[in-house]
Amino acid sequence: MPSTDQTARETALLALSACERQGAWSDGFLKKTLREAGLDSRDAALATRLCFGVLQNRLLLDFYIGKFSTTRPEKMEIKVRNALRLGVYQMAFMTKIPHNAAVNESVELTKKHCKNPRAAGMVNGVLRNVSRNIDRLPVIESGSREEYLSIRYSHPLWLVREFTALLGSEEAEALLEADNGQPPITAQINTCRATMEQTLERLAEAGVEAQPHPWLADCLVLSGTGNLEHLTAFREGLFYIQDPAARLAVEVADPKPGMKVLDACAAPGGKTFASAIRMGGEGEIQSCDIHAHKEKLIQAGAERLGFNCIKTAVMDGKKHRPAFENAFDVVIADVPCSGLGIIRKKPDIRYKDPEPLEGLPAVQSAILDNVATYVKPGGVLLYATCTLLERENGDVVRGFLDRNKDFTLEKFQLPEPLGRADNGMFTFWPQRHGTDGFFIAKLRRNT
């Protein structure tokens, strides 16, 4: 267990190394490491910036390291490699940090955490050489435009090729750049408890900067929040955090007061909460997830926001429940997916092995086929993912329609400047809309 006197850089090193070695997700593991380290808010922010910055630029950092080291980065001990990445990242991307501090801290971390007694000398030599050449770092030389983009924006080549095929080279680069940006923190107001004006007033009292979202009602863009869970307005359930695209999925599904709604793959509960707010807390929402510990997260959120209309259960979306047949006015299926639309928030998702992802459409189709039986005649089935791959999005929906003739796609209107989805499907893009990458399809069951 990390000691409580470790530094921000040490926390980042331990988190990066554990995620690389164990396959843990950076956001969850970093939060756990920060709690155990007991860092103050300033050091916690630095550790987060370092961890996410290295992940966002890992291939580029390894390219630079490889040019200044006789040992290839992939041949190094994990903690040595990450100590070097941290040092190069600070010098290349964080202009306010003195180079000697970046070098010395990485050397000390290597001495403390790495097995090879000669590793610290190597780290010192490589980083001092990088420091001397920081204004003339090596140019990326590659055999193709896609290979250049892969290194420049630290996305695996297979993913660059996927995005280029979807968008063309120019817009694919804009997406890769957006993936390496910092997403805004967007708060959805619990209008069952407070108005926008009341929420803004309470946030201002806590020193939080908040501005109305430019095109989504009852949504705020926050900055200077610190730990959100410490805010009185959060604890009192005046708002919850959710990306505008996910919130709009519920707007499109259009649950109304008194309806019965199923959120079939609900964790962490954002669409459940958005449904409850849209329904004014009147009706019944069955919020389900396959993981028991995530059910508890939904329960805690519902209690904080003050909704008694939400019932939770552990459920595998692929396994049929006869009691649910024809029972719901609205069924929301935000299915497990590759997550390639939320790289801004989980930068390590880009490094997933692509081979296991090939089986996801079959899982998504099985869930969709099953939960479709839970929709009442005339009801709505909302399919959603947080990925940008067509084989998990439109292809799954079209396959479903081929197998289920009693469902049809239904067009829907979105806020300006997004327009209307005349074909019943819409993809949100980070580089176009400033949201997560997100896909929704609205299906209506025939009466």
Side-chain angles (χ1 to χ4, degrees), residues 56-181:
Q56 288 172 333
N57 297 279
R58 197 168 88 182
L59 299 185
L60 180 60
L61 297 173
D62 285 357
F63 170 78
Y64 290 144
I65 291 167
K67 294 295 184 181
F68 291 100
S69 172
T70 57
T71 303
R72 297 294 303 166
E74 61 269 21
K75 299 293 185 181
M76 297 174 181
E77 183 184 336
I78 287 177
K79 287 179 180 176
V80 173
R81 183 163 61 238
N82 282 308
L84 282 168
R85 289 167 176 165
L86 283 165
V88 177
Y89 175 74
Q90 290 170 81
M91 290 187 284
F93 290 91
M94 300 181 72
T95 56
K96 293 183 179 180
I97 293 181
H99 288 192
N100 64 332
V103 173
N104 293 338
E105 288 286 344
S106 286
V107 171
E108 291 304 312
L109 289 175
T110 305
K111 289 178 181 178
K112 182 174 180 179
H113 291 285
C114 300
K115 298 175 183 177
N116 189 337
R118 293 180 293 180
M122 185 270 287
V123 168
N124 183 63
V126 170
L127 292 182
R128 292 201 179 280
N129 202 1
V130 171
S131 178
R132 288 191 292 269
N133 292 277
I134 199 67
D135 294 324
R136 50 184 185 276
L137 289 171
V139 175
I140 300 170
E141 297 174 354
S142 58
S144 70
R145 170 74 172 167
E146 291 169 343
E147 290 171 334
Y148 167 81
L149 294 176
S150 174
I151 296 172
R152 171 65 183 82
Y153 296 102
S154 292
H155 284 63
L157 185 57
W158 74 268
L159 188 53
V160 175
R161 287 172 174 161
E162 289 268 9
F163 289 158
T164 300
L166 282 169
L167 300 168
S169 180
E170 185 175 343
E171 192 176 7
E173 182 173 6
L175 172 58
L176 301 177
E177 185 176 12
D179 279 349
N180 285 353

Side-chain angles (χ1 to χ4, degrees), residues 153-385:
Y153 296 102
S154 292
H155 284 63
L157 185 57
W158 74 268
L159 188 53
V160 175
R161 287 172 174 161
E162 289 268 9
F163 289 158
T164 300
L166 282 169
L167 300 168
S169 180
E170 185 175 343
E171 192 176 7
E173 182 173 6
L175 172 58
L176 301 177
E177 185 176 12
D179 279 349
N180 285 353
Q182 184 173 354
I185 301 172
T186 47
Q188 309 300 335
I189 298 171
N190 180 3
T191 53
C192 294
R193 282 203 165 168
T195 64
M196 174 174 282
E197 291 73 21
Q198 290 169 333
T199 307
L200 283 168
E201 182 178 349
R202 295 293 297 279
L203 290 171
E205 291 171 357
V208 176
E209 297 179 23
Q211 297 292 331
H213 191 274
W215 46 259
L216 184 59
D218 299 320
C219 177
L220 297 173
V221 181
L222 308 183
S223 57
T225 60
N227 188 328
L228 278 167
E229 295 180 1
H230 292 166
L231 296 175
T232 302
F234 180 85
R235 294 199 305 269
E236 293 180 351
L238 304 193
F239 67 91
Y240 68 100
I241 301 300
Q242 185 182 39
D243 187 80
R247 154 84 182 282
L248 281 174
V250 175
E251 299 289 318
V252 168
D254 194 24
K256 293 181 170 60
M259 281 187 171
K260 287 189 67 175
V261 175
L262 171 65
D263 191 353
C265 307
K271 282 172 284 299
T272 291
F273 306 146
S275 298
I277 292 168
R278 188 170 179 82
M279 294 161 65
E282 299 177 9
E284 181 182 324
I285 301 172
Q286 186 73 52
S287 186
C288 301
D289 197 84
I290 195 170
H291 300 291
H293 71 280
K294 291 185 176 180
E295 181 193 11
K296 294 178 181 178
L297 290 176
I298 300 169
Q299 290 172 344
E303 183 178 351
R304 180 180 63 83
L305 294 164
F307 290 116
N308 297 319
C309 61
I310 296 171
K311 299 179 180 179
T312 64
V314 176
M315 182 184 81
D316 184 343
K318 301 188 299 297
K319 294 182 179 179
H320 188 65
R321 284 196 171 192
F324 280 6
E325 286 184 19
N326 305 315
F328 296 95
D329 300 285
V330 173
V331 172
I332 299 170
D334 185 354
V335 298
C337 69
S338 57
L340 296 172
I342 55 172
I343 289 175
R344 297 186 304 172
K345 294 176 178 174
K346 296 185 176 182
D348 38 345
I349 282 180
R350 72 189 77 188
Y351 304 117
K352 279 184 175 182
D353 180 358
E355 187 173 343
L357 304 183
E358 295 175 5
L360 284 170
V363 174
Q364 293 154 351
S365 296
I367 293 173
L368 195 56
D369 284 342
N370 181 44
V371 301
T373 65
Y374 304 156
V375 182
K376 290 180 180 178
V380 168
L381 173 60
L382 196 289
Y383 177 77
T385 75

Side-chain angles (χ1 to χ4, degrees), residues 15-37:
L16 287 166
S17 299
C19 291
E20 190 172 353
R21 183 176 61 252
Q22 302 169 11
W25 291 118
S26 60
D27 60 335
F29 192 91
L30 182 61
K31 288 177 183 176
K32 175 178 177 290
T33 306
L34 289 173
R35 286 195 302 268
E36 293 174 347

